[in-house]
Amino acid sequence: MVIEAVYAASIVLMFAGFLIACRRSFKVIE
Amino acid sequence: MIEITVLAVYLFLMVILGIYEYRKTKGMLDYYLAGKNLGVLLVSFSFFATYFSTAAFLGGGGFGFVAGFQWSAFLIFFHILFAIMAWMVIAPPMKRIADKHGSLTIPEIFGMNFGKATQFVASIVIIVFFQFYMVSIYKGAGNLLEVMLGIDYTMALLITAGVVMVYTAIGGFRAVVITDLIQGVLVLVGGVLLFIAVMFYLGGPFSAIESLENVETLMGSGSNFFEFGKLAPPPIMNAGMVIPFVLSLTFAISIAQLASPQLVVRFVAAKDERVIEKGAILTPLIIGIFAICVFSIGPFGWLIIPEYDDPVKYLKNSDLVVPFIAMKLFPAGFNALILTAIVAAAMSTINSLVHVIATSFVRDILHNAKHLSERTELIITRLSVFVFALIPVTLALNPPDVIVVIVGLSFSVITSAFLLPLLSSFYSSKPSEIPALASMIVAVIVCIVWYLYFYRVYWIYPVVPGLIASFITYAVFWKTERAFSASPA
């Protein structure tokens, strides 16, 4: 159960980081 | 035969790239930081390739064979977390501050922010402990070439060192990052292909998981591989310290992304802050994809290795798990690619370490001790690359016990010593030398003492006590200094 949760958290974190970085990058362009 | 041919072509290509970049290297800024003109692909893949050494393929991928998916899951999680933090918390201020001061090395940033004493100590820590860190990577590459290709261990070390020092010495940082780009692509493609091959061989991820849950292994039922706190090497299980061991070691390996000088110096070499912004999108993604693929392979070794060989050998040395799976699952041409990817992972880390040692030796020690012309400093840096590439080779040939101990804690020392001074440089409104210097020295001492006397009792990796000690020391000295400066004379 713990392991499945950590795997899921890793994937969510990876995409969350990707989206935040995209947002920051577009803000810099503006 | 095809494996040796592919490897020889790859090594030849690296040397050619070094010679090509030599013609573009005009002065110190070019040699040290590629003219601070790197685009996003070079910075990102160079960061990725430098960070993932053979240890990632062999240790990170293989140790799941012993410790199960708890190892894989936490190693993946911490890798993604600290990759994001490195690019969002460390990179932007580092680029700004290094550009403001014109710093060429990480200790030089400390020198500008804190003072020359911190710069000197940081440089000594880099030179001493990275030399020992290189021993472990040379050994990994040497063992791999010996086991997989039957090349004599000494010869394998000399080939690896010879190629790296030639292209690094002549081509400088330009050669380092351009070879890193190729090595990074090889490492990423190799890792993803290997994971796909394992899944294909086992009939897909769901079938693979079901088979592993139902298989009987030397570690008990296959379902143990999906439990948290159940599996580890016997001394750790006997001490009842499986969870602290897994959490502290996966944390220790991953947090190195925040503070290792050979990694964060790439932020300084970026062309501008836009490159850092774009790198923050790309790099955690490729690190995440590689980590998910390679670190998840180990436990599935129980469905492959027992068909061909005695698994006890792989329990004793889990570094053999990933290369063995690669050699068995891929046809001759493809397994040559994977083997080359693992060697590339070693070389991309060695070139960055030796470059950071040589540049720090000249810029942070010699440059401050004696006035030399830029041309002389460049020549000495190139010669230093040869010297610092060869010293760890001699140690790796037949390492005495004391070397083995220092190698084991070398990257813990670097991370613990550098993280707080880096954060203080970027985020403190009044960076102060005494707290930074004290935290660095205490971190080094605590890491060494913990590793020698407490690690094999509590099985908590030295980075954790080292970082805690570093934070406490910094806070105490900072408070004391403020109290003295606030009190009336």
Side-chain angles (χ1 to χ4, degrees), chain B residues 169-213:
Chain B
I170 61 176
F173 201 63
R174 282 184 186 281
V176 167
V177 291
I178 196 81
T179 51
D180 276 357
L181 174 63
I182 294 168
Q183 289 157 344
V185 171
L186 257 175
V187 170
L188 182 62
V189 171
V192 172
L193 276 181
L194 187 59
F195 181 73
I196 292 170
V198 170
M199 288 301 111
F200 192 73
Y201 181 81
L202 298 174
F206 295 109
S207 161
I209 289 168
E210 202 183 322
S211 307
L212 187 59
E213 275 178 330

Side-chain angles (χ1 to χ4, degrees), chain A residues 1-4 6-7 9-11 13-15 17-18 20-22 24-25 28-29, chain B residues 69-70 72-74 76-77 80-81 84 88 226-228 274 277 280-281 285 288 296:
Chain A
M1 201 61 196
V2 175
I3 290 166
E4 287 91 331
V6 178
Y7 259 97
S10 305
I11 292 166
L13 183 65
M14 186 168 74
F15 285 107
F18 176 75
I20 293 166
C22 284
R24 282 166 59 133
S25 181
V28 171
I29 294 173
Chain B
F69 283 107
Q70 56 178 348
S72 320
F74 282 101
I76 292 165
F77 178 78
I80 294 171
L81 176 67
I84 293 170
M88 289 193 183
F226 299 88
E227 299 283 335
F228 182 39
R274 284 287 302 134
E277 299 287 345
I281 301 173
L285 208 56
S296 302

Side-chain angles (χ1 to χ4, degrees), chain B residues 357-403:
Chain B
I357 294 168
T359 53
S360 183
F361 170 66
V362 175
R363 185 74 181 177
D364 302 315
I365 295 179
L366 281 189
H367 181 79
N368 288 329
K370 191 170 166 53
H371 178 74
L372 298 166
S373 70
E374 186 175 324
R375 191 169 171 275
T376 312
E377 283 191 6
L378 196 53
I379 292 169
I380 298 174
T381 313
R382 285 196 158 111
L383 292 174
S384 307
V385 167
F386 282 100
V387 175
F388 289 122
L390 281 176
I391 292 171
V393 171
T394 58
L395 296 176
L397 282 174
N398 191 15
D401 288 348
V402 65
I403 301 292

